Amino acid sequence: MPDSAETLQRTGGRELTRIVYDEKTIAARVAEMGQEIAGAYEPDEPLLVLGLLKGSFIFLSDLVRHIPRPLHVDFIVASSYGSGTTTSGHVNLLYDPSISLENKHIVLVEDIVDSGTTLSRLVPMLEERGPLSLEICTLLHKHIAANLIREPRWVGFDAPHEFLIGYGLDHSEDFRNLPFIGSLKHDS
Ligand code: IMP
Ligand code: MG
């Protein structure tokens, strides 16, 4: 089905193969995930939701509003992608939260697990700081990572092996503001 005029307006004319997860589907799943996370910790245990920027920013902001308990939020920036659609296998840590992770339960929030490089680099670094626990929550999981250091405890959707954009996910910094998740058509 061709993209609607509204979609093309949002993408600046770039065509999508299809919309993979629409707004309603995402909202329903994110609400469920929030409840699941809340249920995993005792109400008096300190909880820090740590978002991996930039990709997780929309997911995280929707998610924390569905976790009905006290929590703290912080962010970390790690990028494994250059400007294109293929992974460089290289992880840059651009911002490291100065706040202590000690004696806190950490939920690390990712937009998508692809090659797993980012997580494999980050998990040991965060573990070194002595959190009470460290769990991963990802909106999307491609299930292609060969030796993922740790499986995410919470997965929103098992994603198709396509390049996805929207709801925080970008292609060369474009499309993060799409309210849905779509699959980008290759340049012809
Ligand atoms: P990994 O280190 O290969 O698992 O990749 C993780 C990061 O790459 C994610 O946090 C995303 O920012 C980016 N990424 C991986 N796959 C996609 C995709 O399909 N669309 C947009 N970004 C992606
Ligand atoms: Mg990312």
Side-chain angles (χ1 to χ4, degrees):
M1 204 173 68
D3 294 330
S4 69
E6 194 205 323
T7 298
L8 287 171
Q9 187 189 0
R10 287 185 184 277
T11 63
R14 266 303 287 271
E15 287 177 72
L16 305 179
T17 309
R18 65 201 163 95
I19 291 177
V20 182
Y21 306 105
D22 65 19
E23 278 183 80
K24 271 193 178 168
T25 306
I26 297 170
R29 184 69 189 117
V30 172
E32 276 175 9
M33 293 175 89
Q35 292 296 334
E36 287 169 21
I37 291 170
Y41 301 94
E42 294 301 325
D44 57 344
E45 290 177 320
L47 180 64
L48 172 65
V49 179
L50 188 59
L52 255 168
L53 288 176
K54 302 175 197 171
S56 74
F57 83 109
I58 294 180
F59 173 42
L60 182 138
S61 58
D62 283 343
L63 182 70
V64 291
R65 283 178 282 180
H66 288 286
I67 305 177
R69 53 151 292 151
L71 56 78
H72 287 184
V73 172
D74 211 328
F75 294 97
I76 194 167
V77 181
S79 63
S80 68
Y81 272 69
S83 56
T85 54
T86 52
T87 181
S88 64
H90 203 84
V91 178
N92 281 326
L93 202 59
L94 304 172
Y95 168 67
D96 217 0
S98 50
I99 48 139
S100 156
L101 304 187
E102 262 174 56
N103 301 315
K104 289 174 192 160
H105 292 285
I106 313 297
V107 176
L108 182 63
V109 179
E110 253 282 42
D111 51 355
I112 183 164
V113 179
D114 183 22
S115 72
T117 310
T118 310
L119 286 181
S120 298
R121 282 284 311 277
L122 267 178
V123 167
M125 292 167 88
L126 296 174
E127 286 282 19
E128 258 176 38
R129 298 173 180 216
L132 280 177
S133 69
L134 175 62
E135 299 285 358
I136 297 152
C137 172
T138 188
L139 179 64
L140 303 165
H141 195 337
K142 286 188 184 170
H143 295 285
I144 53 174
N147 30 30
L148 199 55
I149 193 162
R150 180 165 315 170
E151 274 303 322
R153 176 157 176 192
W154 297 286
V155 176
F157 303 100
D158 295 328
H161 301 171
E162 297 162 33
F163 197 81
L164 304 175
I165 53 159
Y167 197 72
L169 291 116
D170 75 306
H171 173 249
S172 300
E173 293 302 324
D174 288 324
F175 314 119
R176 292 197 196 273
N177 60 324
L178 300 181
F180 52 80
I181 293 171
S183 176
L184 196 61
K185 208 180 245 182
H186 287 291
D187 285 318
S188 47

